[in-house]
Amino acid sequence: MAAAAGGDVSDKLTWNFPSWSIGAEYWTYLVFGLIALTMLRWRTFVLGAVGLLAAAVVASFSKHGIETTYDFGLFRCLYGFTVGHLTYLIYRTAKAAPSQRFGTAIEVGIVALICGFVIAAGRGPLSLVAPLLFGLTVLIFAYERGLVSRMLKWPVFVKLGELSYSIYMVHAFVALMIMTAATIGQKLIGRPLLVEQIHDGEPVKVIANLNVYVLDAIFVAYIGIVIGLSALTRRLVEIPGQRLFGRWAQKAASAPRPAAAPLGPVSQQP
């Protein structure tokens, strides 16, 4: 049951652990579509209530704060999706934008606030504030009023933004392959390369017992492999998939619709 709530089919994260979110997003989109089609004028209110309820479920039952995945991931996704939807509505309906004069100060301030929040929150109860803070951040940067926004328009950041979803989907796989190589390597050289450490109260294995420059080189190689593989999967998987579903949607939208039945008896002319 816990796995079903997370949109997964397992009671723990599997080899490509970021993929848990795909199942949760699938059900979240169905919930949103159902609300949008049936609630009409009340859909924003109902979606807000669903998001609030989802946040309450995560706060009450999650053992990992907002980092819940396979167990209560669906509720986490509903909560975050609702905040994102409401953030968009605020942006669309707001009549005033932040002042250009203070744009840079506001952007730098929100980035500093996020850094401090991430350090302080961890997996504790404070982490549940994350969607609200990130929603505020998206709203601020949507207006593009400061220096940070202008920097994010540099080609390197634009390209990384285009690759961001592919990066998200492949980075864990690359890390797993590196850890597998380290496991094989320590058997070949006859000394341990992997050590167990406690991170946020849970044991994790990390590569150690190597020269610091070698560890830095492994990290740089990891970043390079992730970006390169992401560029490949975006070209061969993500973009073709977008085009395929786009054609399906266009075909469905242009399909002839059946004529509406008459509301009453039709008089026949002699």
Side-chain angles (χ1 to χ4, degrees):
M1 181 175 180
D8 206 339
V9 294
S10 175
D11 60 353
K12 60 183 178 180
L13 293 176
T14 50
W15 63 276
N16 193 27
F17 59 84
S19 62
W20 73 268
S21 63
I22 297 177
E25 290 169 9
Y26 174 85
W27 292 106
T28 297
Y29 298 155
L30 288 180
V31 170
F32 174 73
L34 181 63
I35 292 174
L37 291 174
T38 59
M39 298 303 174
L40 300 178
R41 294 175 59 184
W42 297 97
R43 57 178 176 261
T44 298
F45 174 80
V46 174
L47 182 63
V50 169
L52 187 61
L53 177 62
V57 170
V58 175
S60 301
F61 299 105
S62 171
K63 297 180 180 180
H64 303 106
I66 200 63
E67 288 194 28
T68 185
T69 53
Y70 61 86
D71 42 9
F72 297 100
L74 173 59
F75 298 99
R76 168 186 172 181
C77 195
L78 285 168
Y79 172 32
F81 181 90
T82 300
V83 173
H85 177 69
L86 296 178
T87 298
Y88 169 72
L89 291 182
I90 293 172
Y91 172 76
R92 192 182 67 178
T93 58
K95 297 181 180 180
S99 171
Q100 187 80 38
R101 181 179 179 182
F102 300 106
T104 297
I106 294 174
E107 290 182 354
V108 172
I110 196 65
V111 170
L113 179 61
I114 288 176
C115 292
F117 173 81
V118 171
I119 293 172
R123 296 183 176 182
L126 184 59
S127 67
L128 295 171
V129 181
L132 301 176
L133 179 58
F134 295 159
L136 175 62
T137 304
V138 169
L139 183 62
I140 289 174
F141 279 98
Y143 292 102
E144 300 183 341
R145 294 283 179 165
L147 176 62
V148 181
S149 291
R150 293 193 290 273
M151 291 174 59
L152 292 175
K153 292 182 179 180
W154 293 354
V156 61
F157 293 124
V158 172
K159 188 62 178 179
L160 288 174
E162 293 175 351
L163 296 177
S164 59
Y165 189 75
S166 289
I167 289 173
Y168 172 69
M169 290 305 302
V170 307
H171 78 277
F173 171 74
V174 176
L176 176 62
M177 293 299 99
I178 292 176
M179 296 299 286
T180 301
T183 301
I184 297 173
Q186 67 183 3
K187 293 181 179 180
L188 294 177
I189 65 176
R191 66 186 181 93
L193 297 178
L194 299 175
V195 298
E196 191 172 274
Q197 296 181 352
I198 302 299
H199 178 69
D200 285 340
E202 296 185 359
V204 294
K205 288 186 177 182
V206 298
I207 299 176
N209 298 327
L210 290 172
N211 182 280
V212 64
Y213 297 109
V214 175
L215 293 175
D216 288 343
I218 294 174
F219 176 75
V220 172
Y222 168 69
I223 298 297
I225 294 171
V226 167
I227 293 176
L229 183 59
S230 298
L232 187 63
T233 57
R234 173 170 167 77
R235 177 183 294 271
L236 299 180
V237 179
E238 188 176 346
I239 292 178
Q242 291 174 352
R243 291 173 178 169
L244 175 62
F245 283 101
R247 288 195 297 268
W248 286 353
Q250 186 176 19
K251 183 178 180 180
S254 59
R257 301 179 184 275
L263 298 178
V266 179
S267 60
Q268 296 183 356
Q269 299 295 331

